[in-house]
């Protein structure tokens, strides 16, 4: 859900291809004939689920990147190569179908928007599964998502190499958790209310308590957006009373950047809280899974509450700002807001000490009992 490499969360850069134009693009760039096409919801790119008349894997996602990010081909190249690398390492990540010229992407103009903008186009393998947002999460899948978050960042940081990997040092990229203080430019989108007051409190505490500690956190490459719509799962049990799930897909690498391991677990906790009927209990299960791969340091644990709060603030503020620019996409943009505000307010009402106690005690219990795979 990125746009741009600076602190602009969103400018009017979203592609506006209709289904006919998208089908023509697949034919022109990839040499494939479309037999079926359907638009998919998206934040600031444009995605289409397509079926093609060809041998082998016949379902793909046509991804048309917004025009701002399309001006950074090195960044998109690295993100796509990271997806290919993870797939080769055994992770359920999409891989690109090559263009007629043998490339993983192509810069194309078109769409029904104003002006002659260019958009980076890729055709990625379609991953089966159900978004986590559509299931009732339980301790088992929350633990698995924690393991996934740690495993992805660990293997990317330890083994992934690419000449353009430096493009992941994205400075003032608004979605990097280190940049929560940049939100003060966009809080106007909230108006004057109790929500704005709590966001300003998050920003102030983040600046005072998290920013000075960043240098003590362990650095890594972050996926950066392991939310409940970007993780797909399959059921691996027939029990209705105690369903078991496995992760079947990891989507959307557009927020990849250099960050810190603790950022990834905070992001995962925040998004897993969104749909949960008992949101404050979620963190301990995700944390336990994460720490089964990468135990956090005392400094990292101490920042977790404000990092989760910071991600809530990022998601809620940027969505409100973007919805002002794209009122027609407001319903998708504000998915998180439906319960996000309530959860953020609850975290601050209950307080950091009590929330951390719940998370850490839940995680501690896993050292005596690890859920079955």
């Amino acid at each position: 859900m990125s746009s741009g490499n600076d602190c602009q969360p969103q400018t009017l850069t979203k592609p506006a291809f209709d289904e006919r134009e998208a089908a023509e693009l697949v034919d022109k760039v990839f040499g494939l004939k479309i037999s079926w096409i359907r638009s998919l919801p998206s934040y600031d790119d444009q995605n289409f689920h397509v079926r093609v008349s060809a041998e082998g894997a016949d379902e793909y996602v046509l991804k048309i990147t917004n025009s701002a990010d399309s001006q950074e081909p090195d960044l998109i190249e690295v993100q796509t190569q990271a997806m290919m690398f993870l797939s080769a390492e055994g992770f359920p990540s999409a891989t690109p179908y090559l263009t007629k010229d043998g490339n993983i992407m192509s810069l194309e103009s078109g769409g029904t928007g104003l002006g002659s903008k260019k958009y980076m186009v890729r055709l990625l393998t379609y991953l089966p599964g159900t978004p986590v947002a559509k299931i009732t999460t339980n301790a088992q899948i929350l633990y698995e998502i924690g393991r996934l978050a740690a495993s992805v960042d660990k293997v990317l940081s330890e083994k992934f190499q690419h000449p353009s990997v430096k493009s992941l040092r994205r400075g003032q990229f608004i979605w990097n958790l280190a940049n929560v203080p940049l939100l003060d430019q966009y809080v106007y989108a909230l108006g004057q209310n109790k929500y704005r007051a709590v966001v300003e409190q998050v920003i102030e505490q983040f600046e005072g308590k998290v920013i000075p500690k960043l240098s003590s956190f362990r650095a890594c490459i972050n996926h950066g957006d392991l939310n409940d719509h970007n993780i797909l799962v399959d059921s691996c049990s027939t029990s209705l009373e105690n369903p078991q799930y496995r992760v079947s897909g990891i989507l959307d690498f557009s927020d990849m950047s250099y960050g810190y391991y603790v950022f990834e677990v905070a992001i995962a906790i925040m998004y897993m809280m969104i749909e949960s009927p008992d949101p404050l209990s979620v963190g301990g299960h995700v944390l336990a899974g994460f720490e089964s791969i990468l135990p956090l340091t005392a400094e990292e644990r101490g920042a977790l509450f404000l990092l989760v709060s910071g991600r809530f603030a990022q998601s809620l503020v940027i969505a409100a700002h973007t919805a002002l620019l794209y009122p027609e996409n407001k319903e998708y943009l504000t998915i998180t807001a439906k319960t996000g505000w309530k959860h953020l307010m609850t975290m601050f009402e209950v307080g950091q000490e009590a929330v951390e106690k719940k998370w850490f005690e839940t995680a501690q219990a896993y050292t005596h009992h690890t859920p079955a795979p």
Side-chain angles (χ1 to χ4, degrees), residues 174-217:
I174 194 66
W175 286 106
N176 188 301
L177 251 181
N179 291 328
V180 165
L182 296 178
L183 294 176
D184 61 7
Q185 301 169 64
Y186 306 103
V187 291
Y188 74 88
L190 303 176
Q192 292 289 351
N193 52 41
K194 63 182 180 180
Y195 296 146
R196 179 168 176 167
V198 77
V199 164
E200 289 172 341
Q201 188 180 347
V202 170
I203 294 171
E204 181 183 353
Q205 291 192 25
F206 201 96
E207 287 178 318
K209 297 178 180 177
V210 176
I211 297 299
K213 294 275 182 68
L214 288 179
S215 61
S216 71
F217 299 162

Side-chain angles (χ1 to χ4, degrees), residues 83-353:
M83 294 160 64
M84 297 164 68
F85 165 80
L86 286 172
S87 178
E89 289 286 322
F91 290 86
S93 175
T95 55
Y97 186 95
L98 298 183
T99 68
K100 289 194 285 190
D101 298 330
N103 299 312
I104 62 174
M105 58 190 184
S106 178
L107 191 62
E108 301 292 328
S109 56
T112 53
L114 296 174
S116 179
K117 291 187 171 126
K118 290 188 178 293
Y119 306 97
M120 199 64 78
V121 174
R122 286 170 292 169
L123 193 64
L124 305 173
T125 49
Y126 179 81
L127 298 173
T130 303
V132 169
K134 299 283 179 66
I135 68 166
T136 300
T137 56
N138 57 24
Q140 178 262 334
I141 191 58
L142 293 172
Y143 183 91
E144 287 305 315
I145 287 166
R147 282 180 60 88
L148 175 77
S151 300
V152 166
D153 284 12
K154 189 171 189 285
V155 74
L156 283 173
S157 302
E158 293 178 354
K159 296 176 69 175
F160 178 61
Q161 295 180 320
H162 189 274
S164 299
V165 75
K166 63 183 181 298
S167 65
L168 295 176
R169 300 196 182 280
R170 300 177 70 177
Q172 293 192 304
F173 176 51
I174 194 66
W175 286 106
N176 188 301
L177 251 181
N179 291 328
V180 165
L182 296 178
L183 294 176
D184 61 7
Q185 301 169 64
Y186 306 103
V187 291
Y188 74 88
L190 303 176
Q192 292 289 351
N193 52 41
K194 63 182 180 180
Y195 296 146
R196 179 168 176 167
V198 77
V199 164
E200 289 172 341
Q201 188 180 347
V202 170
I203 294 171
E204 181 183 353
Q205 291 192 25
F206 201 96
E207 287 178 318
K209 297 178 180 177
V210 176
I211 297 299
K213 294 275 182 68
L214 288 179
S215 61
S216 71
F217 299 162
R218 289 166 300 168
C220 70
I221 295 173
N222 288 140
H223 174 281
D225 198 16
L226 290 175
N227 69 44
D228 47 332
H229 293 269
N230 285 343
I231 300 172
L232 304 177
V233 296
D234 277 339
S235 175
C236 56
S237 75
T238 55
S239 168
L240 295 176
E241 293 79 24
N242 186 29
Q244 302 283 297
Y245 298 98
R246 66 176 185 87
V247 175
S248 62
I250 311 166
L251 307 179
D252 195 355
F253 286 71
S254 60
D255 284 4
M256 270 183 73
S257 66
Y258 274 104
Y260 303 91
Y261 284 116
V262 68
F263 283 9
E264 201 74 86
V265 67
I267 290 167
I269 288 171
M270 175 260 158
Y271 285 116
M272 293 309 112
M273 288 175 67
I274 291 298
E275 304 291 341
S276 174
D278 185 14
L280 294 185
S281 73
V282 162
H285 301 294
V286 178
L287 179 61
F290 192 92
E291 290 198 312
S292 72
I293 304 294
L294 273 167
L296 296 184
T297 65
E299 292 87 353
E300 290 164 344
R301 274 188 160 218
L304 197 55
F305 177 89
L306 282 175
L307 288 169
V308 173
S309 304
R311 186 53 166 209
F312 268 117
Q314 284 180 315
S315 181
L316 295 164
V317 171
I318 296 170
H321 171 79
T322 309
L324 294 178
L325 298 176
Y326 287 101
E328 73 281 1
N329 201 26
K330 184 175 180 179
E331 184 175 355
Y332 180 77
L333 293 169
T334 55
I335 286 172
T336 301
K338 289 174 182 171
T339 54
W341 283 117
K342 182 173 71 174
H343 295 345
L344 179 59
M345 303 296 275
T346 299
M347 283 180 68
F348 270 75
E349 286 162 9
V350 172
Q352 179 170 347
E353 186 177 342

Side-chain angles (χ1 to χ4, degrees), residues 22-37:
E24 290 173 353
L25 204 56
V26 172
D27 187 13
K28 173 190 168 190
V29 177
F30 301 97
L32 297 174
K33 300 292 184 186
I34 295 296
S35 61
W36 179 89
I37 185 167

